Amino acid sequence: MRDLRLGVIGLGVRGELANLAHRPAAGSRVVACCDLDPKMPADAQQRFGPDVIVTQDHRELLNAGLDGVLVLTPDHTHEPIVLDFLSHEVPVFVEKPLAITTLGCDRILAAARTSGTRLYVGHNMRHLPVVKTMRRLIVAGVIGQVKAIWCRHFVGHGGDFYFKDWHADRRKTTGLLLQKGAHDLDVIHWLAGGYSRLVTGMGGLVVYGDIQSRRDHTGERMTDWLAPDLNWPPHRQRDLNPVVDVEDLSMMQMRLDNGVLASYQQCHFTPDYWRNYTIIGSEGRMENFGDADDATVKVWNRRSDYSPDADEVIHVPASSGSHGGADPRLIDEFLDFVRHGGTTITSPVAAREAVAAGYAATRSLRSGSRPVAVAPPDPALVTYFETGQL
């Protein structure tokens, strides 16, 4: 079996996925890289060998004979880069979110169908062991039929991760309810078995908006300035991005197409970092404690006063690899998909639906919390992707 020839667009923080895909003589090899960072050529050669092609313009790689490409660039660049590679029939892995608008997602889905080129979206949380455990229990009927899902997302490192670079600029993200929330919205949809069709949002820039210290971090990566021990409480943050116009506290309510009601809350100035899902069914309740590392899923399905021991406790041990072991599984699935096509645990349609829900909720949030309808995608596109990309 020859190695797949892979290209990587963007060697920033999520560039670690490229290391997982680089498996010389074992099935895949990174042969080309693109990044605007002037330090990139030396970095790429150290990581992938002296023969790796390096460029600052992804268009130079469109006809480079690649078997697949990983698009790991800032969110607002996903759409044009992905469209370029799809039009040249190069299979694409694009980091979530698929795009920063619903229309952008729909353009990408349509282009993938028109060209017949394989499209994969990096929603790694579908491979997270604790999420897969909850999904398995739901499918098995342990809590009956799902009726409601609540997700609380405590983003304890938000100031360092999301307010010192492009993430803080709504022109490049739409907002963190979409950018960061796309993961959880996709999980909510997956666990509920449906997609949001009516949403409302509420939130504001309630802490970081009061910080006037600004600095242009161009040429730096988040790891260059991360100093968690120095930046607590949150108002001690310094050197925020020159543009800060996204919300640091936001929440949304959703009515799904199958009648499930859901809510999502996101805060970027908590002391701890984790996410908690509560799933309520017609015959019980389920909740996770911990997510990426050692985690526990608890199930209550007998009438009683509250019991922290629950009726069933499932320990989910930590897995090796980044993001609780989800990233290696994500790359394994993508590489298999490039070779064989078919259906995958991740879903381009579901990725679009996560963006659509976050996009609509952000519009609601910024317009007095008025309800916003979420239009479904073209049924022909849904059928195309659900039957498997060949």
Side-chain angles (χ1 to χ4, degrees), residues 329-383:
R329 293 176 174 86
L330 185 77
I331 293 299
D332 286 345
E333 184 176 56
F334 170 66
L335 295 176
D336 183 73
F337 176 63
V338 170
R339 288 191 180 278
H340 305 294
T343 58
T344 56
I345 293 176
T346 65
S347 160
V349 170
R352 179 269 189 197
E353 294 282 25
V355 169
Y359 184 74
T362 304
R363 289 171 53 205
S364 172
L365 182 160
R366 293 173 183 166
S367 61
S369 298
R370 63 178 178 85
V372 175
V374 181
D378 180 346
L381 289 175
V382 175
T383 299

Side-chain angles (χ1 to χ4, degrees), residues 7-26:
V8 180
I9 315 301
L11 284 173
V13 174
R14 288 302 278 160
E16 63 191 15
L17 293 176
N19 293 352
L20 296 174
H22 185 56
R23 307 170 182 181

Side-chain angles (χ1 to χ4, degrees), residues 257-295:
D257 52 14
N258 59 0
V260 173
L261 300 178
S263 66
Y264 172 62
Q265 298 90 41
Q266 179 190 98
C267 181
H268 284 265
F269 47 86
T270 58
D272 50 344
Y273 180 87
W274 68 299
R275 45 174 56 86
N276 168 259
Y277 297 99
T278 297
I279 304 101
I280 301 175
S282 57
E283 300 175 19
R285 179 171 73 86
M286 179 190 310
E287 190 170 350
N288 72 293
F289 296 85
D291 50 18
D293 296 317
D294 278 347

Side-chain angles (χ1 to χ4, degrees), residues 147-165:
K147 296 296 184 181
I149 298 181
W150 307 332
C151 176
R152 301 178 299 159
H153 193 181
F154 311 102
V155 192
H157 53 223
D160 286 302
F161 277 46
Y162 300 104
F163 286 86
K164 294 187 176 179
D165 64 4

